[in-house]
Amino acid sequence: MLDDVRFSAGEFSTSIRFLSDPTQALEGVQLALFDTNTRPLLGSWSGPEVVWPAGESSKSWAQIDSALSKALELELGRDGVLAGVGGGVVTDMAAFAASLYMRGCKLVLVPTTLLAMVDAALGGKTGIDYNGYKNLVGSFYPAAELRIWPGFLQNLPERDFRSGLAEVIKHALLGESDLHSLLVNQRQAILAREPDVLEELIYKAIMVKVGFVERDFREKGERAFLNLGHTFGHALEAVAGFDGSWTHGEAVCWGIGRALDLGVRLGLTPRGYQREVESLLLSYGFVLRAPHKDAGALLSALKHDKKKYNGHVRFVLQTGFGQCLQTTADDAQVLATLAGGI
Ligand SMILES: NC(=O)c1ccc[n+]([C@@H]2O[C@H](COP(=O)([O-])OP(=O)(O)OC[C@H]3O[C@@H](n4cnc5c(N)ncnc54)[C@H](O)[C@@H]3O)[C@@H](O)[C@H]2O)c1
């Protein structure tokens, strides 16, 4: 079993425990928050709970309200321990509810998707979708404890597993050469979810995110590099209408492809690096073309990106492995980049 990790995020501190047994996941917890798919993963739990409907459409005020009213009904104090057990939807919402209850109660997160283990549950960004905008309302509130049981991933549907792999690949491109080698050399074992390899993959990917969060908790600088592929990817998700035709991870990989293309157009990304990353993404079955999409519609979705700077969309681009920068680009170049990806 892997050693525990402890790290700070601004004024907060998080410890990550790798469990040897999933029944340890809710030790000391007073209120557990699940979704309908994650509740059965901890069938032995018999304490107080709220079970949200599974899926992104649950990320709403109504579901936050259900958690807060349950906490009040149980008369939890500030020292009450609230836990979220699930993918990024549950961990984002549980963390948001915990940040609000009594201005912040103790939060334990038990991520059950690969994406939540290596990304969503780590680093304190919480939130819900609001008036059609993803993650528009939220707070920064890192968990006091993350409890990780890689065995949960054996139940995960294939597309959700691959969606998490997209974030792992992105973490590797940000400069973790051991993680990159693992992805290249152990592809079959990773896709077959062999436990030892999966554990190593999760650990290395977590450590990449921990580094960014420790150095730049409030995303004033380099934490934004974690958004590689996301500006383009969010535009694709918005145009596809969050209808399940593109998972978040699939859209991010398409977005990484577009970011590389824009980088090449701007003379920033070497073609050899572009080809190398594209072939890694393709080897994991990700697609770099979104046929039947309209470049104009993608451009207008992109301009609604909430991470604008002085009214301009800023793109995270790469000049090579582990080397990122943020830049703006004119509409003609962005439109040509989008047209090249449909
Ligand atoms: N806070 C952050 O920094 C951050 C970062 C990335 C993504 N996110 C958020 O994460 C969300 C996406 O997370 P996700 O991809 O984990 O989606 P998700 O939470 O919807 O989980 C995907 C599906 O898998 C099911 N599931 C979860 N664990 C399972 C398991 N072990 N076995 C079987 N089924 C299981 C869920 O019920 C759901 O149907 C988005 O809302 C996104 O905004 C947040």
Side-chain angles (χ1 to χ4, degrees), residues 35 37 56 59 87-89 92 112-113 115 120 125 135 152 155:
D35 74 21
N37 293 328
E56 184 71 27
K59 268 178 96 171
V89 167
D92 273 13
T112 61
T113 63
L115 182 137
K125 285 190 185 175
N135 300 326
F152 285 136
N155 297 302

Side-chain angles (χ1 to χ4, degrees), residues 77-80 95-107 141:
R78 273 202 80 190
D79 57 350
F96 188 37
S99 76
L100 296 173
Y101 188 71
M102 302 254 171
R103 300 199 180 92
C105 65
K106 187 169 175 192
L107 172 68
Y141 196 69

Side-chain angles (χ1 to χ4, degrees), residues 44-200:
S44 60
W45 171 252
S46 57
E49 66 185 33
V50 172
V51 182
W52 290 311
E56 184 71 27
S57 57
S58 266
K59 268 178 96 171
S60 64
W61 269 120
Q63 306 300 355
I64 294 297
D65 189 64
S66 66
L68 298 177
S69 52
K70 187 74 181 176
L72 183 60
E73 179 193 315
L74 295 167
E75 297 181 3
L76 295 191
R78 273 202 80 190
D79 57 350
V81 186
L82 196 148
V85 182
V89 167
V90 171
T91 58
D92 273 13
M93 288 206 297
F96 188 37
S99 76
L100 296 173
Y101 188 71
M102 302 254 171
R103 300 199 180 92
C105 65
K106 187 169 175 192
L107 172 68
V108 170
L109 290 177
V110 182
T112 61
T113 63
L114 180 57
L115 182 137
M117 288 179 190
V118 303
D119 195 3
L122 261 173
K125 285 190 185 175
T126 86
I128 54 168
D129 302 337
Y130 190 73
N131 277 4
Y133 291 96
K134 253 193 96 157
N135 300 326
L136 190 82
V137 172
S139 55
F140 278 98
Y141 196 69
E145 247 191 71
L146 239 75
R147 298 179 184 169
I148 299 199
W149 165 247
F152 285 136
L153 300 184
Q154 301 301 334
N155 297 302
L156 197 62
E158 186 62 20
R159 276 190 91 196
D160 291 309
F161 180 68
R162 282 177 189 259
S163 189
L165 277 178
E167 301 289 354
V168 174
I169 293 174
K170 181 208 70 186
H171 282 22
L173 298 179
L174 297 180
E176 224 292 19
S177 50
D178 286 353
L179 181 58
H180 185 262
S181 307
L182 195 70
L183 284 162
V184 172
N185 300 325
Q186 298 280 5
R187 186 169 53 86
Q188 295 299 351
I190 290 168
L191 291 174
R193 307 186 205 179
E194 285 181 16
D196 290 353
V197 180
L198 216 51
E199 192 175 271
E200 192 181 347

